[in-house]
Amino acid sequence: MTNRIPGMAPVRLFWLLTLRDIRMRYTQTLGGFLWTIIQPLALTLVFTVIFSRTLGITSGDSSVPYPLFALTGVVPWSMFSTGLTRSTSSLVNDWPLVKKSAVPRMLLPLSSAVAPVVDFAVSCLLIVALMVYWRVPVRPAILAVLPVLAVGVCFAAGLGLWLSAINARYRDVGWGLPFAVWMGMLVSPVAYSSSMVIGHSRWEVLYTLNPMAGVIEGCRWAILGGDFPGPMLMRAVGIALVVVVLGVLFFRTQERSLADVI
Amino acid sequence: MAQGSMVVVSHVSKVYRRGAGIATLKGLLSGDFRNRHEFYALRDVDFEVAPGEVLGIIGANGSGKTTLLSILLGCVCPTEGEVRLRSQVCSMLDLGVGFDNGFTGRQNVYQACQLQGMTHRQVADGFKSMIDFAGVWPIIDTPFKRYSLGERVRLEFAVLTCLDAPIVLVDDILALADVAFGEKALAYIKQVAESGRTVLLVSHTPQRLVPLADRVLWLRGGAVADLGPPGAVVRHYLEAHG
């Protein structure tokens, strides 16, 4: 599948598609970018009332206020789930590009997986504002969220490559995914600390096989400090890389027939 | 490959599966997938196009015209055979590729042109002439979904007038245009044909091709029924379908 369009450098096209994805998400909304903040805030509020106030779940080993703790889980998780969801539907939503243009197909799921990084950046401002409010020190180590985040984006992109190509053939994926994402949030340390599971459950190995567990704990460590979740993060890097490499290979096998089956 | 051919289509066939196949679990369980049959959208199509040549393509609905153009663009892979292009192509396979209803006309022009490979700068340079061509200045910053069908077609076609790759693939995209704009668009295609670019042009109005094309290819049931001078091929075609 060759790209025969003049002057179309894949990298430039990738950014173009990413920007398009970001713009497209908020057309005809009153709130626009406010939605990037409203969603995590609302979720954090619910978590605070249910998990912290009612069930007595704490911020793990750290002493930061629970809302801030939850937010540092909610924000990377929503970046991942938005990216994965949009990436999965990218080929089907943009079927005219698949059937009638020479845009390299792989760029569609990849750009959709990357676009929510912008949401993350906006939400980070919210996190920092709350840190200042609660007098939690903002340390230079916070920059470490970037490489950690890259792991999450890689994982979303890798899964997106698989699922978008399968979704083009079988729309079942589109039906099953919202459910899977919702379950994914429960098995990731979004509303609670992974230290509640690790050392306390027979399932802890299985638990840490979920790369988002490592990514979320990594983000928390970068933003709030605490123990470096080394083994979990390493596992996340490994699994994300495997998923993305296999995803690229799988996508290559599907690419040629996408326009026929979509 | 003959020396100097711009487009070589050698023994291209495209097979689609028909029937429900295993599109559903029910189909899988009931064994329906065994009933699927193969359908040749293209059958051993073989021709070459010289640089600067304008090749008209005619044929009844379902004769494989669009499949052929899609294969040339690289969107669809042939089941057998191969195509070779000596240069870059731009496609006018459909109107509105890369357009989105939520964006304004202006945003859509930038979007669609850039998806076709133009830089932001190139779009900016060609912007005025495109909007002049479409005649939509008053509504250029209105969301695209508020456009009338005619306004849409005009702007979508105008975007295509900016593409300048040496090989141009044109599907029959003017079915929705009104008479005045249809004339204008046809005049544009004529200009492209005369500009020395290589053009493959599908039309459902064969008579239109006669003055434009150097040769005409007639597809029937996915196979080449005739290929030659426009007058003769179109006459055969009209006799067969008259």
Side-chain angles (χ1 to χ4, degrees):
Chain A
M1 191 72 63
T2 48
N3 165 23
R4 302 197 186 95
I5 297 189
M8 184 123 83
V11 174
R12 194 167 68 74
L13 191 57
F14 173 78
W15 288 120
L16 184 68
L17 288 166
T18 307
L19 283 177
R20 172 169 174 266
D21 191 273
I22 293 164
R23 262 203 225 131
M24 214 127 106
R25 239 175 323 152
Y26 296 110
T27 51
Q28 212 177 0
T29 59
L30 285 176
F33 260 93
L34 274 182
W35 279 109
T36 37
I37 296 187
I38 295 170
Q39 280 169 341
L41 266 186
L43 206 52
T44 301
L45 189 69
V46 172
F47 283 173
T48 304
V49 172
I50 302 293
F51 289 102
S52 171
R53 296 287 152 81
T54 312
L55 296 174
I57 286 177
T58 63
S59 312
D61 306 323
S62 79
S63 57
V64 298
Y66 179 82
L68 186 55
F69 170 85
L71 197 60
T72 54
V74 166
V75 167
W77 176 260
S78 31
M79 184 209 67
F80 168 78
S81 64
T82 311
L84 175 60
T85 307
R86 293 189 62 90
S87 182
T88 299
S89 56
S90 61
L91 292 174
V92 170
N93 285 349
D94 270 329
W95 66 267
L97 288 183
V98 175
K99 282 184 94 86
K100 311 231 164 164
S101 88
V103 171
R105 280 82 182 97
M106 197 177 283
L107 294 182
L108 294 170
L110 289 183
S111 60
S112 298
V114 171
V117 169
V118 176
D119 300 357
F120 185 89
V122 174
S123 307
C124 269
L125 297 178
L126 179 68
I127 292 178
V128 170
L130 286 179
M131 287 171 80
V132 172
Y133 175 76
W134 272 306
R135 296 178 203 289
V136 177
V138 180
R139 307 160 311 129
I142 197 169
L143 288 177
V145 288
L146 295 175
V148 176
L149 202 62
V151 180
V153 172
C154 249
F155 185 48
L159 282 181
L161 284 172
W162 281 93
L163 296 181
S164 61
I166 301 174
N167 195 34
R169 206 175 281 266
Y170 302 110
R171 300 291 193 274
D172 306 55
V173 175
W175 287 106
L177 187 69
F179 178 65
V181 165
W182 182 72
M183 296 224 299
M185 188 172 76
L186 298 183
V187 299
S188 304
V190 178
Y192 56 91
S193 164
S194 62
S195 61
M196 293 181 71
V197 177
I198 294 178
H200 300 281
S201 166
R202 292 191 289 149
W203 304 100
E204 64 174 73
V205 173
L206 203 58
Y207 187 83
T208 57
L209 282 179
N210 163 19
M212 284 314 288
V215 169
I216 289 170
E217 289 299 351
C219 282
R220 257 188 201 136
W221 161 78
I223 297 170
L224 302 175
D227 293 336
F228 178 63
M232 260 170 109
L233 204 50
M234 283 304 112
R235 219 170 276 190
V237 171
I239 293 173
L241 282 180
V242 169
V243 169
V244 99
V245 169
L246 291 180
V248 169
L249 296 176
F250 174 70
F251 199 89
R252 287 239 173 272
T253 67
Q254 298 299 303
E255 207 168 28
R256 294 166 58 84
S257 59
L258 281 178
D260 297 339
V261 299
I262 206 159
Chain B
M1 174 173 182
Q3 279 303 314
S5 286
M6 203 65 164
V7 176
V8 179
V9 175
S10 55
H11 302 288
V12 163
S13 296
K14 177 69 190 178
V15 177
Y16 283 112
R17 297 216 170 83
R18 289 218 164 156
I22 47 169
T24 61
L25 199 55
K26 194 176 144 213
L28 182 66
L29 295 177
S30 67
D32 257 1
F33 62 94
R34 271 170 271 153
N35 297 333
R36 70 185 175 195
H37 55 281
E38 292 189 331
F39 161 77
Y40 276 81
L42 291 175
R43 196 188 288 272
D44 200 26
V45 173
D46 196 79
F47 64 90
E48 299 186 8
V49 187
E53 186 178 5
V54 178
L55 180 74
I57 302 172
I58 58 176
N61 286 339
S63 58
K65 305 185 293 295
T66 301
T67 305
L68 178 60
L69 291 190
S70 303
I71 287 176
L72 286 167
L73 183 62
C75 288
V76 170
C77 289
T79 313
E80 287 156 31
E82 61 172 342
V83 301
R84 271 169 296 173
L85 305 170
R86 221 183 50 192
S87 184
Q88 289 155 326
V89 299
C90 61
S91 83
M92 306 190 182
L93 290 198
D94 202 355
L95 292 169
V97 173
F99 277 66
D100 184 84
N101 271 335
F103 294 154
T104 66
R106 185 189 302 271
Q107 286 172 327
N108 270 315
V109 168
Y110 273 89
Q111 194 83 73
C113 287
Q114 287 181 295
L115 284 175
Q116 294 267 17
M118 293 170 69
T119 63
H120 194 272
R121 188 61 212 269
Q122 287 171 321
V123 189
D125 289 345
F127 194 74
K128 186 176 177 302
S129 69
M130 280 187 269
I131 310 307
D132 284 344
F133 188 92
V136 293
W137 278 111
I139 49 171
I140 192 62
D141 289 310
T142 303
F144 196 55
K145 62 183 155 206
R146 308 249 186 274
Y147 281 45
S148 75
L149 191 54
E151 288 160 347
R152 279 166 182 258
V153 172
R154 296 210 303 270
L155 188 57
E156 289 167 345
F157 188 83
V159 160
L160 301 181
T161 64
C162 241
L163 306 174
D164 58 359
I167 303 174
V168 191
L169 309 174
V170 193
D171 207 341
D172 197 10
I173 49 182
L174 293 173
L176 292 175
D178 61 21
V179 175
F181 191 75
E183 291 298 320
K184 205 168 156 186
L186 197 65
Y188 170 76
I189 289 174
K190 199 168 190 165
Q191 189 193 320
V192 173
E194 285 162 2
S195 68
R197 292 156 82 188
T198 308
V199 183
L200 282 84
L201 174 64
V202 162
S203 181
H204 287 106
T205 325
Q207 296 90 333
R208 272 188 181 171
L209 287 177
V210 176
L212 280 176
D214 298 314
R215 284 189 302 160
V216 167
L217 174 76
W218 170 16
L219 285 176
R220 184 169 52 190
V224 177
D226 201 356
L227 172 62
V233 176
V234 168
R235 202 171 56 244
H236 293 158
Y237 173 76
L238 292 177
E239 281 164 13
H241 288 267

